[in-house]
Amino acid sequence: MGIGSIGVPGLILIIIIALIIFGPKKLPEIGKAAGQTLREFKNSANDLMSDDETNSKEKKDVKEDTSNPKEGK
């Protein structure tokens, strides 16, 4: 049983409990903070992935350059 098996009734119950605990004024602030945190995490993960791809391409280019020395030197 994972999070994917909660369903619509479960989500409604969670939202109602959150409204009771945090109140209607605080809930949007919590949602905004959670959204910003997820956005920052996603951006960081994408940056790491792009850095990995860039580094692997650079290593491949360097490897090709050393394996095919230029003639005429």
Side-chain angles (χ1 to χ4, degrees), residues 40-54:
E40 288 176 16
F41 178 78
K42 182 180 176 182
N43 289 339
S44 297
N46 286 337
D47 287 344
L48 286 174
M49 296 288 284
S50 66
D51 286 347
D52 254 4
E53 291 173 3
T54 303

Side-chain angles (χ1 to χ4, degrees), residues 6-24 27-28 30:
I6 290 177
V8 175
L11 288 175
I12 292 171
L13 181 64
I14 291 171
I15 291 171
I16 291 171
I17 291 172
L19 277 170
I20 292 170
I21 292 173
F22 298 112
L27 203 57
I30 294 170

Side-chain angles (χ1 to χ4, degrees), residues 25-68:
K25 292 182 182 179
K26 191 72 172 176
L27 203 57
E29 295 173 18
I30 294 170
K32 182 179 178 182
Q36 288 175 343
T37 302
L38 287 173
R39 188 179 312 114
E40 288 176 16
F41 178 78
K42 182 180 176 182
N43 289 339
S44 297
N46 286 337
D47 287 344
L48 286 174
M49 296 288 284
S50 66
D51 286 347
D52 254 4
E53 291 173 3
T54 303
N55 288 339
S56 66
K57 287 179 183 179
E58 287 175 358
K59 286 180 183 179
K60 184 178 178 183
D61 291 342
V62 169
K63 188 175 182 181
E64 287 176 358
D65 288 345
T66 58
S67 65
N68 297 326

